[in-house]
Amino acid sequence: MKLPTQPFIDGAYRAGTGAPIQLINPASAAPLGAVEGVSVAEANAAVESAQRAWESGWRDLAPGRRAEILFNVARVLRENLEPLAQLECANIGKPIGDARDEIGLGAKVFEYYAGAVGKYFGQTIPVSRGGLDFTLRQSMGVIAAIVPWNFPFPIAAWKAAPALAAGNTVVLKPASLSPLTALRLGELAHAAGLPAGVLQILPGSGREVGDALVTHPLIRKVSFTGSTEIGRRVMELASRDLKRISLELGGKSPNIVFADSDWERAAAASPMSVFANTGQDCCARSRMYVERSVYAGFVDRFVAATRALIVGDPRLDATQIGPMVSAGQRESVEEYLADARRSGARIACGGDRPAGAGFFLNPTVLLDVGRGDRCWREEIFGPVVAITPFDDEAEMLRDVNASPYGLSGSIWTNDLRRALRVSRTVQSGVLSVNSHSSVHVEAPFGGFKQSGIGRDLGMAAMDGYTEVKNIYISES
Ligand code: NAP
């Protein structure tokens, strides 16, 4: 497999003279290759060339032509689905079936926003003075997109596609652990007709290159997905010149199972709501509340379904759970497990590494976790779930909402009034009833509280990549 090794700038792969990024295949722990990182000076120059690409063409291109190019990008991505999926699988150990789905999702995102170009517009407003008052939705300029390693391709697509559709240009910094599919995205989008400089891919250190982008005076908006800690720093730096920001951050999402639900189905479906992507998922339902009358039966079924998950080689079609992304990420999760053991939690299954190389960790079910314990309160970002019984709906919801996070969650009930009542009460940006579906290209995605600011996906994303201009034309 041929890996991209250089930043994609001004329509071509070019040398990067910043710190090189060494890649390790997480499934084997063997070196995979290296990518040249950009220096701060190269990142700054790329922002300036993205500004020129905005001013000298992309901003003023006929919307129909912009749409055509983005449809073309979607087509070219689909044509390259398999090599892109293989690349993601090797880079971060993503099971190949999931990797294919995610590349397909990225292509669909480009298609959706290509279609949005001609369907997104301002308003005419009957102002009291008479005359004609109307709004324009205008592009902003250069957008800095900073993305994490857990869903590298779809998140890159769901930032780049609406920003480009709205007429902006984009500089995208992939996470250092996962630069490969983002680099190919730059190359393929250019081959599909995106002019040089409109989408630049800048691998490099978050601390240096990320900071340089967030503080660059030509960047009009920072669209960030990552941890709450770094999101806070991005917000502080961006406040210096009042840059627009959107932040998609961490989560500690609840999965609430009522006794009146089809709880056996919930028990069968719920392991993948937390263990998919080896638990490295901002939407992972890592806190489970199960009504006491069905708790024992639910736990038995949930543990049996967890034990049946296929953990192993991510290149195989049957694999459901691949390795963790890095040795460090696995160690961080194991520290949480040590903490849980010390606090008296019971491990119903998992908690250990399977034999062999690679950064694998078996899916782990914790019982008897105290509500003040770290494993109950903090985002673990690994294959760990804690399950607790509840007796009283109101008390359970108080605990759900005591979290500083508010990203996602699921409710299982067959009582429609309860579904509505609980959905309205849970403080989170995304909720699903009798399902674990969190992400729909057509619907807004984002968090309440410390899970973020702003929304990705749906038409809401277009609002985030445009400024509203009001124009009044006098009749007198
Ligand atoms: P992270 O450490 O915050 O990194 C995210 C991105 O920020 C990476 O590209 C990173 O670059 C960059 N970065 C690091 N320091 C920076 C700085 N000082 N200034 C600007 N950029 C900087 O997060 P992660 O470990 O990659 O991802 C896991 C986190 O993302 C979890 O908390 C998860 O919940 C969250 N997440 C949220 C969503 C959502 O939609 N809400 C989706 C996915 C993931 P380097 O890689 O070079 O350090």
Side-chain angles (χ1 to χ4, degrees):
M1 180 186 312
K2 196 167 174 302
L3 308 184
T5 57
Q6 293 186 317
F8 192 82
I9 298 177
D10 270 338
Y13 286 115
R14 298 181 195 276
T17 62
I21 298 169
Q22 304 295 340
L23 301 175
I24 292 178
N25 181 333
S28 62
L32 180 66
V35 167
E36 296 170 14
V38 290
S39 65
V40 168
E42 287 157 352
N44 289 339
V47 173
E48 282 152 30
S49 93
Q51 173 77 12
R52 286 193 294 279
W54 179 63
E55 286 173 357
S56 68
W58 190 248
R59 175 183 64 184
D60 301 317
L61 198 66
R65 179 67 192 132
R66 207 156 63 216
E68 234 169 64
I69 293 173
L70 295 177
F71 274 122
N72 233 6
V73 173
R75 182 181 54 76
V76 172
L77 293 177
R78 281 216 178 85
E79 285 167 5
N80 286 274
L81 189 146
E82 190 58 30
L84 283 164
Q86 297 289 346
L87 207 55
E88 202 77 291
C89 175
N91 190 172
I92 53 170
K94 174 107 40 193
I96 188 66
D98 293 350
R100 290 183 185 121
D101 289 348
E102 290 179 21
I103 305 300
L105 174 62
K108 191 171 166 188
V109 168
F110 269 92
E111 205 166 61
Y112 175 81
Y113 288 106
V117 170
K119 305 184 186 77
Y120 184 73
F121 38 75
Q123 297 174 311
T124 56
I125 302 165
V127 291
S128 48
R129 290 177 68 95
L132 177 64
D133 191 282
F134 62 98
T135 60
L136 297 179
R137 284 282 182 176
Q138 291 198 307
S139 62
M140 295 170 156
V142 187
I143 307 295
I146 301 178
V147 299
W149 47 261
N150 58 341
F151 297 103
F153 193 79
I155 294 179
W158 75 49
K159 293 194 180 306
L164 296 171
N168 304 285
T169 54
V170 174
V171 291
L172 187 140
K173 197 202 89 60
S176 295
L177 286 166
S178 60
L180 299 181
T181 52
L183 289 168
R184 282 276 190 257
L185 170 65
E187 177 194 346
L188 293 169
H190 182 65
L194 207 64
V198 170
L199 175 62
Q200 322 253 26
I201 312 295
L202 308 177
S205 122
R207 183 83 205 186
E208 287 172 19
V209 175
D211 271 14
L213 294 178
V214 176
T215 52
H216 196 294
L218 286 176
I219 294 292
R220 288 285 169 264
K221 171 172 178 168
V222 181
S223 179
F224 174 85
T225 297
S227 60
T228 295
E229 182 197 347
I230 304 292
R232 202 171 280 125
R233 178 174 171 79
V234 167
M235 190 169 180
E236 280 169 13
L237 292 178
S239 73
R240 291 181 187 170
D241 55 355
L242 294 178
K243 281 193 173 66
R244 277 60 176 146
I245 51 169
S246 61
L247 305 173
E248 299 288 353
L249 308 175
K252 187 73 184 174
S253 297
N255 194 353
I256 304 167
V257 181
F258 288 97
D260 69 24
S261 69
D262 186 352
W263 58 269
E264 295 188 8
R265 186 166 76 88
S270 290
M272 282 307 269
S273 80
V274 58
F275 300 130
N277 213 38
T278 325
Q280 304 164 125
D281 179 354
C282 54
C283 291
R285 273 68 164 170
S286 54
R287 292 187 288 165
M288 292 207 66
Y289 300 81
V290 181
E291 200 163 359
R292 193 176 300 274
S293 59
V294 297
Y295 177 75
F298 181 92
V299 169
D300 284 350
R301 285 169 177 75
F302 185 96
V303 169
T306 300
R307 288 188 203 279
L309 293 174
I310 301 170
V311 181
D313 187 340
R315 294 169 300 179
L316 303 179
D317 283 345
T319 296
Q320 293 169 286
I321 312 289
M324 304 209 61
V325 74
S326 66
Q329 189 64 24
R330 180 171 65 175
E331 277 159 26
S332 146
V333 174
E334 286 175 334
E335 279 170 27
Y336 275 101
L337 294 180
D339 202 62
R341 287 186 180 97
R342 276 194 298 274
S343 318
R346 263 191 307 136
I347 296 187
C349 68
D352 56 344
R353 301 176 178 188
F359 311 131
F360 290 89
L361 186 62
N362 282 318
T364 304
V365 179
L366 298 178
L367 306 175
D368 303 336
V369 174
R371 291 198 174 169
D373 293 354
R374 284 177 71 216
C375 284
W376 190 255
R377 290 183 290 108
E378 296 178 16
E379 181 181 49
I380 298 174
F381 225 56
V384 181
V385 69
I387 313 184
T388 192
F390 73 90
D391 298 296
D392 177 65
E393 179 184 305
E395 184 279 327
M396 176 271 295
L397 288 171
R398 271 194 297 280
D399 190 66
V400 166
N401 287 334
S403 172
Y405 295 114
L407 185 56
S408 187
S410 294
I411 301 160
W412 294 81
T413 177
N414 282 328
D415 177 337
L416 187 56
R417 280 174 299 182
R418 170 175 273 152
L420 264 176
R421 185 173 67 236
V422 175
S423 300
R424 286 201 177 110
T425 308
V426 173
Q427 294 165 358
S428 79
V430 179
L431 271 179
S432 50
V433 176
N434 297 333
S435 156
H436 291 307
S437 211
S438 300
V439 174
H440 306 275
V441 175
E442 306 81 1
F445 176 82
F448 282 21
K449 302 191 280 183
Q450 292 185 34
S451 286
I453 294 173
R455 293 293 178 271
D456 279 335
L457 298 177
M459 283 303 198
M462 297 292 282
D463 291 344
Y465 291 111
T466 49
E467 294 280 11
V468 180
K469 180 179 284 174
N470 191 74
I471 299 176
Y472 172 70
I473 301 178
S474 169
E475 264 176 357
S476 54

